[in-house]
Short mmCIF file of all heavy atoms in Angstrom, two decimals:
data_model
loop_
_atom_site.label_atom_id
_atom_site.label_comp_id
_atom_site.label_asym_id
_atom_site.label_seq_id
_atom_site.Cartn_x
_atom_site.Cartn_y
_atom_site.Cartn_z
N MET A 741 0.17 57.79 -14.86
CA MET A 741 -1.21 57.57 -14.50
C MET A 741 -1.47 58.24 -13.15
O MET A 741 -0.76 57.99 -12.19
CB MET A 741 -1.48 56.07 -14.43
CG MET A 741 -2.80 55.74 -13.82
SD MET A 741 -3.28 54.01 -13.98
CE MET A 741 -2.27 53.23 -12.76
N SER A 742 -2.48 59.06 -13.08
CA SER A 742 -2.84 59.73 -11.85
C SER A 742 -3.97 58.97 -11.16
O SER A 742 -5.02 58.75 -11.73
CB SER A 742 -3.29 61.16 -12.15
OG SER A 742 -3.71 61.78 -10.96
N CYS A 743 -3.71 58.56 -9.92
CA CYS A 743 -4.69 57.77 -9.17
C CYS A 743 -5.14 58.49 -7.91
O CYS A 743 -5.80 57.89 -7.07
CB CYS A 743 -4.09 56.42 -8.79
SG CYS A 743 -3.58 55.43 -10.19
N GLY A 744 -4.77 59.75 -7.77
CA GLY A 744 -5.07 60.48 -6.54
C GLY A 744 -6.52 60.46 -6.15
O GLY A 744 -6.86 60.23 -4.99
N GLU A 745 -7.40 60.69 -7.09
CA GLU A 745 -8.82 60.71 -6.80
C GLU A 745 -9.31 59.35 -6.30
O GLU A 745 -10.02 59.24 -5.32
CB GLU A 745 -9.60 61.12 -8.06
CG GLU A 745 -10.90 61.81 -7.76
CD GLU A 745 -11.51 62.36 -9.03
OE1 GLU A 745 -11.11 63.46 -9.45
OE2 GLU A 745 -12.37 61.67 -9.59
N ALA A 746 -8.89 58.28 -6.97
CA ALA A 746 -9.31 56.93 -6.57
C ALA A 746 -8.70 56.54 -5.24
O ALA A 746 -9.33 55.84 -4.44
CB ALA A 746 -8.92 55.92 -7.65
N ALA A 747 -7.48 56.97 -4.98
CA ALA A 747 -6.81 56.60 -3.74
C ALA A 747 -7.49 57.19 -2.52
O ALA A 747 -7.38 56.65 -1.42
CB ALA A 747 -5.35 57.05 -3.78
N LEU A 748 -8.21 58.28 -2.69
CA LEU A 748 -8.86 58.94 -1.56
C LEU A 748 -10.31 58.53 -1.38
O LEU A 748 -11.01 59.06 -0.52
CB LEU A 748 -8.77 60.46 -1.73
CG LEU A 748 -7.34 61.01 -1.73
CD1 LEU A 748 -7.34 62.50 -2.00
CD2 LEU A 748 -6.63 60.70 -0.43
N GLN A 749 -10.78 57.58 -2.15
CA GLN A 749 -12.15 57.10 -2.05
C GLN A 749 -12.20 55.84 -1.20
O GLN A 749 -11.20 55.17 -0.98
CB GLN A 749 -12.72 56.81 -3.44
CG GLN A 749 -12.81 58.03 -4.32
CD GLN A 749 -13.66 59.13 -3.72
OE1 GLN A 749 -14.76 58.87 -3.26
NE2 GLN A 749 -13.14 60.34 -3.70
N TYR A 750 -13.41 55.51 -0.73
CA TYR A 750 -13.57 54.26 0.00
C TYR A 750 -13.20 53.12 -0.93
O TYR A 750 -13.51 53.12 -2.10
CB TYR A 750 -15.01 54.10 0.50
CG TYR A 750 -15.32 55.00 1.67
CD1 TYR A 750 -16.11 56.12 1.50
CD2 TYR A 750 -14.80 54.73 2.93
CE1 TYR A 750 -16.40 56.95 2.57
CE2 TYR A 750 -15.07 55.55 3.99
CZ TYR A 750 -15.88 56.66 3.81
OH TYR A 750 -16.15 57.48 4.87
N SER A 751 -12.55 52.13 -0.38
CA SER A 751 -12.03 51.03 -1.17
C SER A 751 -12.36 49.73 -0.46
O SER A 751 -13.20 49.69 0.43
CB SER A 751 -10.53 51.20 -1.34
OG SER A 751 -9.98 50.17 -2.11
N THR A 752 -11.64 48.68 -0.81
CA THR A 752 -11.82 47.41 -0.13
C THR A 752 -11.35 47.54 1.31
O THR A 752 -10.60 48.45 1.66
CB THR A 752 -10.99 46.31 -0.83
OG1 THR A 752 -9.62 46.66 -0.74
CG2 THR A 752 -11.39 46.14 -2.28
N THR A 753 -11.76 46.62 2.14
CA THR A 753 -11.38 46.63 3.54
C THR A 753 -9.87 46.60 3.71
O THR A 753 -9.32 47.22 4.62
CB THR A 753 -12.00 45.42 4.27
OG1 THR A 753 -13.42 45.48 4.09
CG2 THR A 753 -11.69 45.42 5.74
N GLU A 754 -9.18 45.88 2.83
CA GLU A 754 -7.74 45.71 2.95
C GLU A 754 -6.96 46.95 2.54
O GLU A 754 -5.79 47.08 2.83
CB GLU A 754 -7.28 44.53 2.09
CG GLU A 754 -7.86 43.21 2.52
CD GLU A 754 -9.27 42.98 2.00
OE1 GLU A 754 -9.73 43.70 1.08
OE2 GLU A 754 -9.93 42.08 2.53
N GLY A 755 -7.59 47.86 1.80
CA GLY A 755 -6.91 49.06 1.36
C GLY A 755 -6.73 49.10 -0.15
O GLY A 755 -6.99 48.13 -0.86
N TYR A 756 -6.27 50.21 -0.64
CA TYR A 756 -6.09 50.50 -2.06
C TYR A 756 -5.05 49.55 -2.65
O TYR A 756 -3.88 49.58 -2.26
CB TYR A 756 -5.68 51.96 -2.19
CG TYR A 756 -5.59 52.51 -3.58
CD1 TYR A 756 -6.67 52.48 -4.45
CD2 TYR A 756 -4.41 53.08 -4.02
CE1 TYR A 756 -6.58 53.00 -5.72
CE2 TYR A 756 -4.31 53.62 -5.29
CZ TYR A 756 -5.40 53.57 -6.13
OH TYR A 756 -5.31 54.09 -7.39
N ILE A 757 -5.47 48.70 -3.59
CA ILE A 757 -4.60 47.65 -4.11
C ILE A 757 -3.31 48.17 -4.76
O ILE A 757 -2.24 47.60 -4.52
CB ILE A 757 -5.34 46.66 -5.04
CG1 ILE A 757 -4.46 45.46 -5.39
CG2 ILE A 757 -5.84 47.32 -6.30
CD1 ILE A 757 -4.10 44.58 -4.27
N PRO A 758 -3.32 49.26 -5.54
CA PRO A 758 -2.04 49.74 -6.09
C PRO A 758 -1.04 50.13 -4.98
O PRO A 758 0.16 49.90 -5.12
CB PRO A 758 -2.43 50.94 -6.94
CG PRO A 758 -3.83 50.66 -7.36
CD PRO A 758 -4.45 50.00 -6.15
N LEU A 759 -1.53 50.65 -3.88
CA LEU A 759 -0.64 51.00 -2.76
C LEU A 759 -0.10 49.73 -2.11
O LEU A 759 1.10 49.63 -1.81
CB LEU A 759 -1.38 51.84 -1.72
CG LEU A 759 -0.60 52.19 -0.46
CD1 LEU A 759 0.68 52.95 -0.78
CD2 LEU A 759 -1.48 52.99 0.49
N ARG A 760 -0.94 48.73 -1.93
CA ARG A 760 -0.49 47.46 -1.35
C ARG A 760 0.53 46.79 -2.26
O ARG A 760 1.50 46.20 -1.79
CB ARG A 760 -1.69 46.55 -1.09
CG ARG A 760 -2.57 47.12 0.01
CD ARG A 760 -3.89 46.43 0.24
NE ARG A 760 -3.89 45.03 0.04
CZ ARG A 760 -4.88 44.38 -0.60
NH1 ARG A 760 -5.90 45.04 -1.11
NH2 ARG A 760 -4.83 43.07 -0.73
N GLU A 761 0.34 46.88 -3.57
CA GLU A 761 1.31 46.32 -4.52
C GLU A 761 2.64 47.05 -4.44
O GLU A 761 3.71 46.44 -4.48
CB GLU A 761 0.75 46.38 -5.94
CG GLU A 761 -0.40 45.43 -6.16
CD GLU A 761 -1.14 45.66 -7.47
OE1 GLU A 761 -0.97 46.73 -8.09
OE2 GLU A 761 -1.91 44.75 -7.86
N MET A 762 2.60 48.37 -4.30
CA MET A 762 3.82 49.15 -4.19
C MET A 762 4.58 48.81 -2.91
O MET A 762 5.80 48.66 -2.91
CB MET A 762 3.52 50.65 -4.22
CG MET A 762 4.77 51.52 -4.21
SD MET A 762 4.43 53.23 -3.84
CE MET A 762 4.16 53.15 -2.09
N ILE A 763 3.85 48.65 -1.82
CA ILE A 763 4.49 48.29 -0.55
C ILE A 763 5.13 46.91 -0.66
O ILE A 763 6.27 46.70 -0.21
CB ILE A 763 3.47 48.35 0.60
CG1 ILE A 763 3.05 49.81 0.85
CG2 ILE A 763 4.03 47.72 1.87
CD1 ILE A 763 1.86 49.97 1.76
N ALA A 764 4.43 45.95 -1.28
CA ALA A 764 4.99 44.61 -1.47
C ALA A 764 6.26 44.66 -2.31
O ALA A 764 7.24 43.97 -2.02
CB ALA A 764 3.95 43.70 -2.13
N GLN A 765 6.27 45.50 -3.33
CA GLN A 765 7.46 45.65 -4.18
C GLN A 765 8.62 46.23 -3.39
O GLN A 765 9.77 45.78 -3.52
CB GLN A 765 7.14 46.54 -5.38
CG GLN A 765 8.32 46.79 -6.29
CD GLN A 765 8.88 45.51 -6.89
OE1 GLN A 765 8.13 44.60 -7.24
NE2 GLN A 765 10.20 45.42 -6.99
N ARG A 766 8.36 47.20 -2.55
CA ARG A 766 9.44 47.79 -1.73
C ARG A 766 10.02 46.77 -0.77
O ARG A 766 11.23 46.72 -0.56
CB ARG A 766 8.92 49.01 -0.96
CG ARG A 766 8.52 50.10 -1.93
CD ARG A 766 8.84 51.48 -1.62
NE ARG A 766 9.90 51.77 -0.73
CZ ARG A 766 10.05 52.95 -0.18
NH1 ARG A 766 9.18 53.90 -0.43
NH2 ARG A 766 11.04 53.18 0.63
N TYR A 767 9.15 45.93 -0.20
CA TYR A 767 9.66 44.86 0.67
C TYR A 767 10.51 43.89 -0.14
O TYR A 767 11.56 43.44 0.33
CB TYR A 767 8.51 44.10 1.35
CG TYR A 767 8.08 44.72 2.66
CD1 TYR A 767 6.91 45.47 2.76
CD2 TYR A 767 8.84 44.55 3.81
CE1 TYR A 767 6.51 46.03 3.95
CE2 TYR A 767 8.45 45.10 5.02
CZ TYR A 767 7.28 45.85 5.09
OH TYR A 767 6.91 46.40 6.27
N ALA A 768 10.06 43.54 -1.35
CA ALA A 768 10.82 42.61 -2.21
C ALA A 768 12.21 43.16 -2.51
O ALA A 768 13.19 42.40 -2.54
CB ALA A 768 10.05 42.36 -3.50
N GLU A 769 12.32 44.47 -2.72
CA GLU A 769 13.62 45.09 -2.98
C GLU A 769 14.57 44.95 -1.79
O GLU A 769 15.78 45.00 -1.95
CB GLU A 769 13.43 46.56 -3.34
CG GLU A 769 12.75 46.76 -4.68
CD GLU A 769 12.30 48.20 -4.92
OE1 GLU A 769 12.57 49.07 -4.06
OE2 GLU A 769 11.66 48.42 -5.96
N LYS A 770 14.00 44.78 -0.60
CA LYS A 770 14.81 44.61 0.60
C LYS A 770 14.97 43.13 0.97
O LYS A 770 15.47 42.81 2.04
CB LYS A 770 14.17 45.38 1.76
CG LYS A 770 14.14 46.88 1.51
CD LYS A 770 13.50 47.62 2.66
CE LYS A 770 13.35 49.08 2.39
NZ LYS A 770 14.58 49.83 2.32
N GLY A 771 14.50 42.24 0.09
CA GLY A 771 14.67 40.82 0.30
C GLY A 771 13.58 40.14 1.11
O GLY A 771 13.74 39.01 1.54
N VAL A 772 12.48 40.84 1.33
CA VAL A 772 11.36 40.27 2.10
C VAL A 772 10.23 39.96 1.13
O VAL A 772 9.70 40.86 0.49
CB VAL A 772 10.87 41.25 3.19
CG1 VAL A 772 9.70 40.66 3.96
CG2 VAL A 772 12.01 41.63 4.12
N LYS A 773 9.90 38.67 1.03
CA LYS A 773 8.84 38.27 0.10
C LYS A 773 7.49 38.37 0.80
O LYS A 773 7.22 37.66 1.78
CB LYS A 773 9.08 36.85 -0.39
CG LYS A 773 8.10 36.43 -1.44
CD LYS A 773 8.41 35.06 -1.99
CE LYS A 773 7.37 34.72 -3.05
NZ LYS A 773 7.63 33.42 -3.65
N VAL A 774 6.66 39.25 0.32
CA VAL A 774 5.31 39.45 0.85
C VAL A 774 4.40 39.77 -0.33
O VAL A 774 4.79 40.46 -1.27
CB VAL A 774 5.30 40.58 1.91
CG1 VAL A 774 5.68 41.91 1.35
CG2 VAL A 774 3.95 40.66 2.59
N SER A 775 3.20 39.24 -0.29
CA SER A 775 2.27 39.52 -1.38
C SER A 775 1.33 40.65 -0.96
O SER A 775 1.11 40.87 0.25
CB SER A 775 1.45 38.27 -1.73
OG SER A 775 0.47 38.03 -0.75
N PRO A 776 0.76 41.36 -1.91
CA PRO A 776 -0.18 42.43 -1.57
C PRO A 776 -1.35 41.94 -0.72
O PRO A 776 -1.88 42.69 0.09
CB PRO A 776 -0.66 42.93 -2.94
CG PRO A 776 0.46 42.60 -3.86
CD PRO A 776 1.02 41.31 -3.35
N SER A 777 -1.72 40.67 -0.86
CA SER A 777 -2.84 40.14 -0.07
C SER A 777 -2.48 40.00 1.41
O SER A 777 -3.36 39.83 2.25
CB SER A 777 -3.29 38.79 -0.62
OG SER A 777 -2.28 37.83 -0.47
N GLU A 778 -1.19 40.09 1.74
CA GLU A 778 -0.74 40.00 3.13
C GLU A 778 -0.56 41.37 3.76
O GLU A 778 -0.12 41.47 4.91
CB GLU A 778 0.58 39.23 3.20
CG GLU A 778 0.45 37.80 2.74
CD GLU A 778 1.80 37.11 2.67
OE1 GLU A 778 2.64 37.54 1.85
OE2 GLU A 778 2.00 36.15 3.43
N ILE A 779 -0.90 42.41 3.03
CA ILE A 779 -0.73 43.79 3.51
C ILE A 779 -2.10 44.39 3.77
O ILE A 779 -3.02 44.26 2.96
CB ILE A 779 0.05 44.63 2.49
CG1 ILE A 779 1.47 44.06 2.35
CG2 ILE A 779 0.08 46.10 2.90
CD1 ILE A 779 2.26 44.67 1.23
N LEU A 780 -2.25 45.04 4.90
CA LEU A 780 -3.51 45.68 5.28
C LEU A 780 -3.24 47.15 5.55
O LEU A 780 -2.39 47.50 6.37
CB LEU A 780 -4.07 45.01 6.54
CG LEU A 780 -5.32 45.60 7.12
CD1 LEU A 780 -6.51 45.33 6.20
CD2 LEU A 780 -5.59 45.00 8.49
N ILE A 781 -3.95 48.01 4.85
CA ILE A 781 -3.84 49.45 5.05
C ILE A 781 -4.94 49.87 6.01
O ILE A 781 -6.12 49.63 5.75
CB ILE A 781 -3.99 50.23 3.72
CG1 ILE A 781 -3.05 49.69 2.64
CG2 ILE A 781 -3.83 51.72 3.94
CD1 ILE A 781 -1.59 49.89 2.93
N THR A 782 -4.58 50.49 7.13
CA THR A 782 -5.60 50.95 8.06
C THR A 782 -5.92 52.42 7.80
O THR A 782 -5.12 53.15 7.22
CB THR A 782 -5.15 50.77 9.53
OG1 THR A 782 -4.00 51.59 9.76
CG2 THR A 782 -4.84 49.32 9.84
N ASN A 783 -7.07 52.82 8.27
CA ASN A 783 -7.51 54.21 8.13
C ASN A 783 -7.32 54.95 9.44
O ASN A 783 -8.24 55.50 10.01
CB ASN A 783 -8.98 54.26 7.71
CG ASN A 783 -9.17 53.77 6.31
OD1 ASN A 783 -8.46 54.19 5.42
ND2 ASN A 783 -10.11 52.88 6.11
N GLY A 784 -6.11 54.91 9.96
CA GLY A 784 -5.79 55.62 11.19
C GLY A 784 -5.43 54.68 12.32
O GLY A 784 -5.61 53.46 12.25
N SER A 785 -4.93 55.27 13.39
CA SER A 785 -4.44 54.47 14.51
C SER A 785 -5.54 53.73 15.23
O SER A 785 -5.33 52.61 15.71
CB SER A 785 -3.68 55.37 15.48
OG SER A 785 -4.54 56.37 16.00
N GLN A 786 -6.74 54.30 15.32
CA GLN A 786 -7.82 53.64 16.03
C GLN A 786 -8.17 52.31 15.39
O GLN A 786 -8.36 51.31 16.08
CB GLN A 786 -9.06 54.55 16.08
CG GLN A 786 -10.17 53.99 16.96
CD GLN A 786 -9.79 53.96 18.43
OE1 GLN A 786 -9.20 54.90 18.95
NE2 GLN A 786 -10.12 52.89 19.12
N GLN A 787 -8.25 52.26 14.08
CA GLN A 787 -8.53 51.01 13.39
C GLN A 787 -7.41 50.01 13.62
O GLN A 787 -7.65 48.83 13.85
CB GLN A 787 -8.74 51.23 11.89
CG GLN A 787 -9.10 49.94 11.17
CD GLN A 787 -9.18 50.10 9.66
OE1 GLN A 787 -8.74 51.09 9.10
NE2 GLN A 787 -9.73 49.10 9.01
N GLY A 788 -6.17 50.45 13.56
CA GLY A 788 -5.04 49.57 13.80
C GLY A 788 -5.05 48.99 15.20
O GLY A 788 -4.84 47.79 15.40
N LEU A 789 -5.33 49.83 16.21
CA LEU A 789 -5.40 49.34 17.59
C LEU A 789 -6.55 48.36 17.78
O LEU A 789 -6.42 47.36 18.48
CB LEU A 789 -5.54 50.53 18.55
CG LEU A 789 -4.31 51.42 18.67
CD1 LEU A 789 -4.64 52.68 19.45
CD2 LEU A 789 -3.16 50.67 19.30
N ASP A 790 -7.68 48.63 17.15
CA ASP A 790 -8.83 47.73 17.22
C ASP A 790 -8.47 46.36 16.64
O ASP A 790 -8.77 45.32 17.24
CB ASP A 790 -10.01 48.34 16.48
CG ASP A 790 -11.22 47.43 16.46
OD1 ASP A 790 -11.77 47.14 17.55
OD2 ASP A 790 -11.64 47.01 15.36
N LEU A 791 -7.83 46.34 15.49
CA LEU A 791 -7.45 45.08 14.86
C LEU A 791 -6.43 44.32 15.69
O LEU A 791 -6.51 43.08 15.81
CB LEU A 791 -6.90 45.34 13.45
CG LEU A 791 -7.92 45.82 12.43
CD1 LEU A 791 -7.24 46.27 11.16
CD2 LEU A 791 -8.95 44.74 12.14
N LEU A 792 -5.47 45.02 16.29
CA LEU A 792 -4.49 44.36 17.16
C LEU A 792 -5.17 43.72 18.36
O LEU A 792 -4.86 42.59 18.75
CB LEU A 792 -3.43 45.35 17.62
CG LEU A 792 -2.39 45.75 16.59
CD1 LEU A 792 -1.54 46.90 17.10
CD2 LEU A 792 -1.52 44.56 16.23
N GLY A 793 -6.10 44.45 18.96
CA GLY A 793 -6.83 43.91 20.10
C GLY A 793 -7.62 42.67 19.73
O GLY A 793 -7.62 41.68 20.46
N LYS A 794 -8.28 42.71 18.58
CA LYS A 794 -9.06 41.55 18.13
C LYS A 794 -8.17 40.36 17.82
O LYS A 794 -8.57 39.21 18.01
CB LYS A 794 -9.89 41.93 16.90
CG LYS A 794 -11.04 42.84 17.25
CD LYS A 794 -11.80 43.25 16.00
CE LYS A 794 -12.97 44.15 16.38
NZ LYS A 794 -13.65 44.69 15.20
N ALA A 795 -6.97 40.61 17.34
CA ALA A 795 -6.06 39.53 16.97
C ALA A 795 -5.36 38.89 18.17
O ALA A 795 -5.12 37.68 18.17
CB ALA A 795 -5.01 40.04 15.98
N PHE A 796 -5.04 39.69 19.19
CA PHE A 796 -4.20 39.19 20.26
C PHE A 796 -4.88 39.06 21.62
O PHE A 796 -4.28 38.50 22.55
CB PHE A 796 -2.96 40.07 20.42
CG PHE A 796 -2.05 40.01 19.23
CD1 PHE A 796 -1.93 41.10 18.37
CD2 PHE A 796 -1.31 38.87 18.96
CE1 PHE A 796 -1.09 41.04 17.27
CE2 PHE A 796 -0.48 38.80 17.86
CZ PHE A 796 -0.36 39.88 17.01
N LEU A 797 -6.09 39.57 21.78
CA LEU A 797 -6.74 39.54 23.08
C LEU A 797 -8.03 38.73 23.05
O LEU A 797 -8.72 38.68 22.03
CB LEU A 797 -7.06 40.97 23.55
CG LEU A 797 -5.88 41.91 23.72
CD1 LEU A 797 -6.36 43.33 23.99
CD2 LEU A 797 -4.98 41.44 24.84
N ASN A 798 -8.34 38.14 24.17
CA ASN A 798 -9.61 37.44 24.34
C ASN A 798 -10.47 38.23 25.31
O ASN A 798 -9.95 39.01 26.13
CB ASN A 798 -9.38 36.03 24.89
CG ASN A 798 -8.64 35.15 23.92
OD1 ASN A 798 -9.02 35.07 22.75
ND2 ASN A 798 -7.59 34.50 24.39
N LYS A 799 -11.77 38.01 25.28
CA LYS A 799 -12.68 38.69 26.19
C LYS A 799 -12.23 38.44 27.63
O LYS A 799 -11.94 37.31 28.02
CB LYS A 799 -14.10 38.18 25.98
CG LYS A 799 -15.12 38.94 26.77
CD LYS A 799 -16.52 38.50 26.43
CE LYS A 799 -17.52 39.35 27.19
NZ LYS A 799 -18.88 39.04 26.81
N GLY A 800 -12.14 39.51 28.39
CA GLY A 800 -11.73 39.40 29.79
C GLY A 800 -10.24 39.55 30.03
O GLY A 800 -9.82 39.66 31.19
N ASP A 801 -9.42 39.56 28.99
CA ASP A 801 -7.97 39.75 29.17
C ASP A 801 -7.69 41.15 29.69
O ASP A 801 -8.36 42.11 29.31
CB ASP A 801 -7.23 39.58 27.84
CG ASP A 801 -7.09 38.13 27.41
OD1 ASP A 801 -7.43 37.24 28.21
OD2 ASP A 801 -6.64 37.90 26.28
N GLY A 802 -6.70 41.26 30.53
CA GLY A 802 -6.27 42.57 31.02
C GLY A 802 -5.18 43.14 30.13
O GLY A 802 -4.41 42.39 29.52
N VAL A 803 -5.13 44.45 30.05
CA VAL A 803 -4.10 45.12 29.26
C VAL A 803 -3.48 46.20 30.14
O VAL A 803 -4.18 46.99 30.75
CB VAL A 803 -4.70 45.77 27.98
CG1 VAL A 803 -3.64 46.54 27.23
CG2 VAL A 803 -5.34 44.72 27.10
N ILE A 804 -2.16 46.21 30.22
CA ILE A 804 -1.45 47.21 31.00
C ILE A 804 -0.82 48.20 30.04
O ILE A 804 -0.16 47.82 29.08
CB ILE A 804 -0.36 46.55 31.87
CG1 ILE A 804 -1.01 45.58 32.86
CG2 ILE A 804 0.46 47.61 32.60
CD1 ILE A 804 -0.01 44.76 33.64
N VAL A 805 -1.03 49.49 30.30
CA VAL A 805 -0.43 50.54 29.47
C VAL A 805 0.42 51.45 30.37
O VAL A 805 0.19 51.54 31.58
CB VAL A 805 -1.51 51.37 28.73
CG1 VAL A 805 -2.25 50.49 27.74
CG2 VAL A 805 -2.48 52.01 29.68
N GLU A 806 1.40 52.08 29.76
CA GLU A 806 2.31 52.93 30.50
C GLU A 806 1.62 54.17 31.04
O GLU A 806 1.86 54.60 32.16
CB GLU A 806 3.47 53.34 29.60
CG GLU A 806 4.53 54.14 30.31
CD GLU A 806 5.70 54.46 29.42
OE1 GLU A 806 5.90 53.79 28.41
OE2 GLU A 806 6.42 55.42 29.73
N ARG A 807 0.78 54.76 30.24
CA ARG A 807 0.06 55.98 30.62
C ARG A 807 -1.37 55.86 30.13
O ARG A 807 -1.66 55.05 29.27
CB ARG A 807 0.70 57.20 29.96
CG ARG A 807 2.08 57.47 30.46
CD ARG A 807 2.61 58.70 29.83
NE ARG A 807 3.98 58.93 30.33
CZ ARG A 807 4.72 59.93 29.99
NH1 ARG A 807 4.27 60.83 29.16
NH2 ARG A 807 5.91 60.07 30.48
N PRO A 808 -2.25 56.72 30.64
CA PRO A 808 -3.62 56.69 30.09
C PRO A 808 -3.59 56.84 28.56
O PRO A 808 -2.81 57.63 28.03
CB PRO A 808 -4.29 57.90 30.75
CG PRO A 808 -3.52 58.09 32.03
CD PRO A 808 -2.10 57.70 31.69
N THR A 809 -4.37 56.06 27.92
CA THR A 809 -4.36 56.04 26.47
C THR A 809 -5.76 55.77 25.98
O THR A 809 -6.65 55.44 26.75
CB THR A 809 -3.35 54.99 25.96
OG1 THR A 809 -3.28 55.07 24.54
CG2 THR A 809 -3.73 53.60 26.38
N TYR A 810 -5.97 55.88 24.68
CA TYR A 810 -7.32 55.62 24.16
C TYR A 810 -7.45 54.22 23.62
O TYR A 810 -6.59 53.50 23.32
CB TYR A 810 -7.71 56.64 23.09
CG TYR A 810 -6.91 56.60 21.82
CD1 TYR A 810 -7.38 55.91 20.73
CD2 TYR A 810 -5.71 57.28 21.72
CE1 TYR A 810 -6.68 55.88 19.54
CE2 TYR A 810 -5.00 57.26 20.55
CZ TYR A 810 -5.48 56.57 19.46
OH TYR A 810 -4.78 56.55 18.29
#
């Protein structure tokens, strides 16, 4: 089954479900039980950094970085 066209289209916020299922299966093969609903596919580093900031920082928190970064 070829899914290339569908995989490159806008999808759910969490990401392309067949890819999330495949990732969950790979983790299971290594002994880590994770469901596809616990996997989030980001659309690049900026989205990932944004989500990390929202999850771990509160308004007004300071962040120290090693070098200037985006």
Side-chain angles (χ1 to χ4, degrees):
M741 169 170 76
S742 177
C743 300
E745 208 172 277
L748 298 176
Q749 297 302 312
Y750 286 106
S751 181
T752 62
T753 303
E754 298 81 15
Y756 186 57
I757 189 65
L759 176 58
R760 292 172 34 223
E761 290 169 344
M762 184 194 76
I763 292 169
Q765 178 60 38
R766 296 221 22 197
Y767 272 104
E769 291 168 3
K770 296 180 185 292
V772 179
K773 185 175 180 179
V774 63
S775 75
S777 66
E778 297 173 296
I779 296 171
L780 176 70
I781 308 295
T782 63
N783 291 312
S785 61
Q786 187 67 43
Q787 183 186 13
L789 291 170
D790 177 63
L791 291 170
L792 285 170
K794 288 177 179 174
F796 294 109
L797 299 172
N798 294 310
K799 186 174 183 175
D801 284 352
V803 176
I804 298 173
V805 295
E806 184 176 340
R807 294 183 181 181
T809 185
Y810 66 96

